[in-house]
Amino acid sequence: MSATPSVPAPKPPREFSPAFFGTVCSLPFFLLMLFGFVAPLLCVVWFGFMPAKTFALLQMPTFANYETIFNQTYFKSILWSIGLATVTVLTLLVICYPLAFGMAKIFRGGASFITYAIATSLFVSENIRLFGWVIGFMKNGVVGGTLAKVFDVQIDSLLYNIPVIILGMVYVYLPFMLFPLVLGLKMVPDQVREAAFDLGASRWQVFKKIDLPLSMPGVLIGSLLVFVLSVGAISEAKILGGQKVVTIASDIESEFTYAQNWPLGSALSTLFIALTTVVVFFALGRFDLEKLLGKKRSE
Amino acid sequence: MVESAAPILEVVSITNRFAKFTAVNDVSFAVREGEFFTLVGPSGSGKTTLLRMLVGMEKPTTGELRLRGKVINDLPPNLRPTCMVFQSLALFPHMTVGKNVEFPLSIRGQSSGECRTRAWELLKLLHLDPHRYYDKNVSQCSGGERQRVALARALAYDPEILFFDEPLSAIDARLRKVLQKELKDLQRSTGKTFCYVTHSLEEAMVMSDRVAILRAGVIEQIGTPDEIYGAPRNAFVAEFMGEVNLLPITGLGGTAATWDTGRKVIPLTLPAPLAAGTARKLLIRPESLRFLRAGESAGNSVPVRILNEFSLGSRIQYHVEVASDCTLTVQRLREERTAATEAVLGWELADSQILET
């Protein structure tokens, strides 16, 4: 009986599963999100529970800051922010929907021209564009000066009121509404519209029953984008509005800078983030994107 | 019955011209009441443009469209009593099957109860169980089910003519055959006029009462499937019908001609006289060709080499070589199978036709 020498099994070649590979590849992004987003966010939330006007994180947590917020008139700034953002979203919907419809379905070469023209305006810093408006609207500025010189009409400064703030916000956030709307409308298949028209629907009925419901994903995404951006807007109200309106974002800024009250600023930020999140999730839950796109498979 | 019916749609020398390109060139034909009419042509033949003009989505550059004698050139699709089933079906993705079918009814302002009753009837007519399908989302339906939904929706419009833009082209061959038969049955049972567009002459032959063959914006031939099969007007129509043998021939005066295979010139006898020097195509169907036994004779005979044999079920198809780079297709019944590699191929004069190129 001869013993066969046992041959050690060859080591299997090292294999990377797609899951492992994916994990490794997403690691940089994961770390960036962890240290750049999650950690600071948690810091802010935690800082909100520190005693007012202190700068240390290791103290006994307290609700004092939130009491301050509810006892004072910060709710006014929050309402202003939400109000301005809502008006901006609604105004932009009215302005952008027809334009987006044209760009997606009617204009041919013109659509890319409009896209480039609007995208180019994004190359200039927002603050510079807003100061441009200031030069235009201030007393004896471009508008007032021209009117005085040409028509001999004296007008006061057009700045520092609520309509001009909304004008500025509408102007700054227009691309964020327009492009999602164009994409949303482009997703409405032409043959589906033609079929509705062929089945007896008038142009208006085609719009109401086909275009509008099928472009809702674009409407929803554009509105959320503009709402989230404009609710945290600060420059429009500051530069164009002077101190006429104080938004929550400028309240937070002044707590962190002028007042040197970081815990109160943090508490305001936390409250504001929570509020925005609730609004966004409410909107997302209300309009089921998948259902709107007809892609939901319930079985 | 169909032959004597009055025309429901008359197309009078209709032309559609884009900047320089003429998609449809001076086309005239009439669709008769209650018939299954099919426009067939290869891609780029202008059949889609022609159809889009018939339903009103495109306007003819010149010419007239008459529906029951009334000119409808400028009537938009939503005001025409005709309706189309699209190639993509164009179902409304945000509506259930039921709401899709009810769409044309609700547009007309019918009450939801009436809409529902009619939708149930139509779903039943198209073999879709309303209990299961009425509330189903269209995206959950299979290809064949979607076809039926599109058809039910078009029927709900109650059109005088129902147009089809190759709706079956994306369906697998077996289901397509089933749906073709169902479509034909549906046309018979509803008595509606169907006008179908396809690139497949085979599909056209199966379903249609009459077929119009379109090439480069011009109608080559209109007729019943039998007429077209029996007497194709030219080589294009014959070739379009599927596997046929078209031999390039040159007349020698009388019924004598030569067949130039490229390598070899073969003398042939024609079924009809042809002037000397005229070039024509000689059509011989694969089933008209047969292998001659020793001592047997036929109108024409050529020695061939058998290259390949394919089984088509009850029939066998052979590819035979007459000269290098010149092959013919032969179809015989399975009982007449041959194992030889060299043979003499023959056909009767009456089984061949001289066609213009």
Side-chain angles (χ1 to χ4, degrees):
Chain A
M1 220 174 114
S2 59
T4 38
S6 66
V7 181
K11 258 193 181 172
R14 221 168 160 188
E15 273 178 35
F16 294 108
S17 71
F20 176 77
F21 193 69
T23 312
V24 170
C25 284
S26 61
L27 205 59
F29 177 73
F30 177 74
L31 290 176
L32 182 72
M33 288 309 276
L34 189 67
F35 292 107
F37 178 70
V38 179
L41 195 67
L42 290 176
C43 267
V44 165
V45 173
W46 178 249
F47 224 135
F49 295 107
M50 293 296 105
K53 304 208 176 192
T54 57
F55 296 94
L57 275 168
L58 297 172
Q59 301 175 78
M60 203 52 201
T62 160
F63 280 100
N65 297 315
Y66 289 95
E67 278 167 30
T68 316
I69 292 170
F70 287 112
N71 291 332
Q72 291 188 23
T73 55
Y74 287 106
F75 71 92
K76 269 193 191 167
S77 336
I78 291 179
L79 285 181
W80 268 117
S81 282
I82 289 176
L84 285 175
T86 309
V87 174
T88 307
V89 167
L90 294 178
T91 315
L92 276 172
L93 274 177
V94 173
I95 294 174
C96 291
Y97 200 91
L99 181 59
F101 192 88
M103 286 170 73
K105 296 289 174 198
I106 303 164
F107 317 148
R108 285 161 200 279
S112 46
F113 175 76
I114 295 172
T115 307
Y116 290 131
I118 290 171
T120 314
S121 78
L122 290 171
F123 294 170
V124 181
S125 142
E126 185 190 326
N127 283 354
I128 292 176
R129 281 184 284 153
L130 287 176
F131 278 114
W133 285 94
V134 172
I135 295 168
F137 286 145
M138 64 191 207
K139 193 170 173 148
N140 292 322
V142 179
V143 176
T146 309
L147 283 176
K149 198 87 186 162
V150 180
F151 300 103
D152 201 22
V153 182
Q154 292 293 331
I155 57 160
D156 204 9
S157 162
L158 294 168
L159 289 171
Y160 314 130
N161 52 44
I162 290 153
V164 88
I165 298 176
I166 290 168
L167 180 73
M169 304 226 310
V170 163
Y171 164 70
V172 167
Y173 298 116
L174 184 122
F176 302 97
M177 180 64 92
L178 185 66
F179 294 138
L181 281 184
V182 172
L183 284 179
L185 278 159
K186 270 193 180 156
M187 285 192 322
V188 183
D190 284 334
Q191 287 208 335
V192 170
R193 306 176 65 230
E194 278 183 339
F197 191 42
D198 188 42
L199 288 165
S202 64
R203 301 258 177 218
W204 171 245
Q205 282 170 321
V206 173
F207 175 75
K208 212 172 62 182
K209 302 210 165 191
I210 307 296
D211 291 316
L212 203 55
L214 285 179
S215 63
M216 275 319 273
V219 170
L220 185 62
I221 292 165
S223 302
L224 278 180
L225 211 56
V226 170
F227 184 82
V228 169
L229 286 171
S230 62
V231 85
I234 184 162
S235 344
E236 291 81 8
K238 270 197 158 172
I239 297 171
L240 297 174
Q243 288 301 316
K244 181 93 186 167
V245 167
V246 181
T247 63
I248 185 69
S250 64
D251 263 346
I252 292 169
E253 194 204 17
S254 55
E255 287 308 330
F256 274 101
T257 54
Y258 178 71
Q260 289 288 303
N261 192 351
W262 287 21
L264 185 60
S266 298
L268 274 172
S269 303
T270 309
L271 195 66
F272 187 52
I273 291 167
L275 214 64
T276 318
T277 312
V278 167
V279 170
V280 169
F281 275 93
F282 175 74
L284 281 176
R286 187 75 197 280
F287 302 97
D288 193 327
L289 271 184
E290 302 257 296
K291 198 175 163 195
L292 285 170
L293 288 167
K295 285 187 183 138
K296 192 157 204 172
R297 281 162 198 274
S298 49
E299 280 171 53
Chain B
M1 199 172 85
V2 165
E3 276 73 28
S4 61
I8 179 166
L9 179 74
E10 284 169 280
V11 178
V12 187
S13 59
I14 221 169
T15 298
N16 189 286
R17 217 172 275 123
F18 300 107
K20 267 182 194 158
F21 175 68
T22 307
V24 175
N25 194 358
D26 196 18
V27 164
S28 299
F29 61 89
V31 180
R32 295 168 188 156
E33 183 96 54
E35 78 172 337
F36 199 126
F37 184 85
T38 301
L39 283 164
V40 48
S43 56
S45 60
K47 56 184 192 303
T48 301
T49 311
L50 182 54
L51 183 68
R52 288 179 67 84
M53 288 193 286
L54 297 185
V55 293
M57 283 165 201
E58 203 108 21
K59 271 192 189 170
T61 317
T62 58
E64 249 178 29
L65 279 172
R66 287 191 217 125
L67 186 75
R68 295 194 196 284
K70 251 190 270 164
V71 178
I72 54 161
N73 280 26
D74 295 322
L75 215 55
N78 60 336
L79 300 180
R80 289 190 189 192
T82 60
C83 166
M84 168 152 114
V85 176
F86 286 77
Q87 183 164 21
S88 66
L89 303 179
L91 296 177
F92 306 132
H94 56 307
M95 298 182 195
T96 60
V97 167
K99 291 285 169 243
N100 263 278
V101 177
E102 285 173 12
F103 184 83
L105 304 170
S106 65
I107 285 289
R108 259 178 230 165
Q110 294 194 7
S111 74
S112 61
E114 284 173 332
C115 289
R116 201 180 153 88
T117 316
R118 183 76 184 125
W120 275 61
E121 278 171 27
L122 285 165
L123 288 177
K124 267 190 211 146
L125 179 70
L126 287 156
H127 314 295
L128 290 174
D129 177 14
H131 295 281
R132 277 184 58 211
Y133 287 95
Y134 185 84
D135 286 318
K136 209 170 178 179
N137 201 306
V138 285
S139 57
Q140 289 170 273
C141 295
S142 71
E145 289 162 359
R146 293 163 62 86
Q147 294 281 342
R148 294 190 169 108
V149 176
L151 200 54
R153 186 180 69 177
L155 286 171
Y157 186 67
D158 196 23
E160 297 203 20
I161 307 178
L162 191 47
F163 291 97
F164 296 87
D165 183 15
E166 305 199 42
L168 301 182
S169 58
I171 297 252
D172 69 87
R174 231 186 73 224
L175 184 57
R176 185 159 60 222
K177 290 238 158 65
V178 175
L179 289 170
Q180 282 170 0
K181 292 210 176 71
E182 277 186 23
L183 210 55
K184 180 71 199 161
D185 288 343
L186 189 72
Q187 190 260 337
R188 272 208 201 101
S189 61
T190 57
K192 289 225 178 286
T193 312
F194 278 23
C195 183
Y196 197 93
V197 163
T198 177
H199 63 270
S200 155
L201 188 59
E202 197 195 337
E203 188 169 282
M205 299 293 231
V206 172
M207 297 188 291
S208 320
D209 295 317
R210 286 195 310 144
V211 177
I213 293 159
L214 214 63
R215 167 164 67 164
V218 177
I219 289 188
E220 290 284 347
Q221 190 171 8
I222 300 189
T224 63
D226 284 347
E227 282 165 9
I228 288 172
Y229 182 83
R233 227 191 69 193
N234 55 31
F236 173 78
V237 175
E239 207 167 8
F240 199 50
M241 233 153 23
E243 280 181 296
V244 292
N245 299 299
L246 287 165
L247 319 182
I249 53 164
T250 312
L252 293 173
T255 57
T258 53
W259 168 24
D260 188 1
T261 65
R263 294 289 172 88
K264 208 157 96 181
V265 176
I266 300 168
L268 292 181
T269 314
L270 300 179
L274 184 65
T278 342
R280 287 286 184 271
K281 287 269 172 80
L282 190 68
L283 166 71
I284 312 161
R285 295 185 192 287
E287 57 273 24
S288 305
L289 290 168
R290 66 175 201 275
F291 299 112
L292 301 180
R293 272 182 229 105
E296 201 183 352
S297 71
N300 280 298
S301 57
V302 272
V304 295
R305 208 157 64 80
I306 297 174
L307 293 181
N308 275 317
E309 184 189 294
F310 306 98
S311 172
L312 304 178
S314 63
R315 289 164 175 274
I316 308 271
Q317 192 181 70
Y318 296 96
H319 278 183
V320 301
E321 189 180 61
V322 179
S324 53
D325 295 333
C326 175
T327 59
L328 294 178
T329 310
V330 182
Q331 231 177 67
R332 300 308 313 164
L333 289 173
R334 192 168 274 278
E335 296 82 71
E336 299 168 55
R337 191 173 190 168
T338 175
T341 51
E342 305 279 336
V344 178
L345 202 60
W347 68 89
E348 299 308 330
L349 295 188
D351 291 335
S352 60
Q353 286 174 48
I354 304 170
L355 298 178
E356 291 194 22
T357 47

